[in-house]
Amino acid sequence: MKFYNRENELELLNATEQRAENAAQLTIMMGRRRIGKTSLILNSLKGKRYAYLFVGLEPEAIMCQRFQRELTSSLGLNIYGNITSFRELFEIIMRESTQQHFSVVFDEVQNLIRINPEFFYQMQEIWDKYHNESHINLIMSGSIHSLMKHIFENHTEPMYGRATSKMTIMPFKISVLKEILCDHNPNYSAEDLLCLYMLTGGVAKYVEILMDNGATTKESMLDYVVRQDSYFLTEGKNMLNDEFSSDYSIYFSIMQLIANGKTRVSEIDGEILRPTSVYLANLEKNYELIAKIQPILARPNSRTTKYLINDNFLRFWFRFILPYQSLIEQQQFALLRQHIDESYTQFSGITLEQIFQKMMFESGKFTNIGNWWDNKSNNEIDIVAINEFNHTGVIAEVKRNTKKIDLSVLEEKTKALPTEFNKYKFEIIGLSLEDLCNKK
């Protein structure tokens, strides 16, 4: 699959590289695994002098020797002797950068803290010593969110405040998914687009795998995901094993419950048989794998709260892959595929709401978008989108089938909205699967 989108990010990275000719730059790039950070970085450095150093989990001495060879071959740095410590290697890089301009990329940099817990203290000392005279464009990229935040955003850590730029790489927008799908299947349907978003959430690697394997329709995508050699069957566990250092089983159980519709604290506590507020807070704030959802414009301390897995692939994986490991081990893929088909309509309905909300955000017309429901959940509205500047908004009911939308019922529900909404002039609409077919 060709390289798509990322024009803004490329512009920022190119501007940073140019600034580094006169003053050292340190860019921290974060984003979940498979989001496309490495491809973005390497595309931004085409035609420039750079060394790409991937930080694997291997002994420090062996890794330093590998880095030494890469720095010599890519940048022509004169590194003499057998370098066995990160401290020595990084000082050579910084010292050389006072004489010449180049870029160095450390990918999966969070692994350094596992190999040598003292490295970032050493890095701070060396960076502070040389950066005023340096011309380096240093990029440190990582995908283990909790560790990256700890290393670079915790005020007690040595590298806090050293970055000149921070970037968080987000999934592809819906407009980009449409472009990609159109390139690979010009006659794609709304169902195909919905399924692609439901499975990938716009994560670049997942989209690439499906497109490169010809999985461009709903049926072929689902077929690929559950076949014997599917990349997706183990991806959830591979991704999260690195994040969860302890209480692995509890975190997995909580996310599985949320994926199955147990979204309130009381429901989750009742299933786990212990208080889970600490785990939920970690999943939300430290790992950023779930989001706390409240009715739009609700007070921050409102108890009317639900939780949602904010990564589409993980929501699918915890709903359909993790609970059925025995079927997978017995290679009962046809049976699992049948179960997904039977649950697909209901499961994808939530994704349909999400995709419309995302499209509304991307339109730039609204300042706040969400759901609304009352305390007893007697009245629930799928989408409320407001513009707080001109006091206009949209209230929408979302159904897969347009024939099931009843705007008179929706209008009746709006009468239960709190007085905070009285200052907005709302358009009341229905949105269905058919409304995804606009390919512009």
Side-chain angles (χ1 to χ4, degrees), residues 17-117:
E17 195 275 337
Q18 292 174 15
R19 286 197 300 272
E21 294 180 8
N22 299 311
Q25 302 293 305
L26 171 55
T27 298
I28 307 304
M29 183 178 290
M30 293 188 284
R32 57 112 62 221
R33 282 175 54 158
R34 323 304 187 197
I35 202 72
K37 299 183 297 299
T38 303
S39 295
L40 170 61
I41 293 168
L42 297 183
N43 268 273
S44 76
L45 294 174
K46 282 183 177 178
K48 302 178 175 70
R49 291 186 67 216
Y50 74 92
Y52 172 79
L53 308 176
F54 179 81
V55 183
L57 292 175
E58 57 188 312
E60 181 174 354
I62 292 175
M63 185 173 295
C64 286
Q65 292 166 24
R66 177 165 58 84
F67 286 175
Q68 184 177 349
R69 291 192 297 270
E70 181 62 33
L71 290 163
T72 300
S73 63
S74 297
L75 298 176
L77 299 188
N78 296 318
I79 303 176
Y80 302 103
N82 186 21
I83 307 301
T84 59
S85 75
F86 286 124
R87 190 190 195 289
E88 186 178 3
L89 186 73
F90 189 66
E91 182 152 20
I92 291 171
I93 293 171
M94 291 301 298
R95 187 168 60 241
E96 288 287 332
S97 73
T98 63
Q99 305 300 315
Q100 53 182 313
H101 165 64
F102 52 77
S103 299
V104 174
V105 180
F106 284 95
D107 201 357
E108 298 299 347
V109 70
Q110 77 280 339
N111 287 334
L112 287 173
I113 204 169
R114 294 172 170 174
I115 298 168
N116 180 351

Side-chain angles (χ1 to χ4, degrees), residues 142-248:
S143 59
I144 307 302
H145 188 81
S146 53
L147 273 178
M148 289 294 288
K149 287 188 70 174
H150 174 76
I151 294 166
F152 295 107
E153 297 184 2
N154 188 325
H155 72 279
T156 65
E157 292 302 303
M159 289 308 296
Y160 177 79
R162 265 62 183 184
T164 57
S165 178
K166 292 181 183 178
M167 300 178 68
T168 299
I169 308 305
M170 305 301 292
F172 286 140
K173 294 181 178 180
I174 303 301
S175 58
V176 178
L177 288 182
K178 288 183 176 183
E179 178 187 355
I180 294 170
L181 198 51
C182 189
D183 284 349
H184 292 82
N185 176 12
N187 298 314
Y188 76 86
S189 68
E191 193 74 79
D192 300 332
L193 176 62
L194 177 62
C195 188
L196 180 63
Y197 183 66
M198 182 190 78
L199 292 174
T200 71
V203 173
K205 184 65 176 179
Y206 303 156
V207 176
E208 179 182 30
I209 289 171
L210 292 173
M211 296 301 104
D212 286 352
N213 283 276
T216 62
T217 65
K218 170 201 165 186
E219 296 301 324
S220 60
M221 290 178 206
L222 292 174
D223 285 344
Y224 182 85
V225 166
V226 298
R227 74 186 195 182
Q228 182 176 356
D229 63 342
S230 172
Y231 171 93
F232 296 96
L233 296 180
T234 58
E235 171 65 2
K237 187 172 292 186
N238 292 341
M239 177 182 170
L240 296 178
N241 277 346
D242 288 334
E243 282 284 8
F244 300 141
S245 57
S246 61
D247 294 321
Y248 169 101

Side-chain angles (χ1 to χ4, degrees), residues 371-398:
N371 311 96
W372 183 85
W373 63 94
D374 59 21
N375 291 334
K376 297 182 179 179
S377 295
N378 292 327
N379 292 288
E380 299 188 26
I381 299 176
D382 296 331
I383 298 178
V384 179
I386 59 176
N387 185 317
E388 294 164 296
F389 300 127
N390 62 18
H391 298 108
T392 61
V394 169
I395 290 176
E397 180 174 0
V398 179

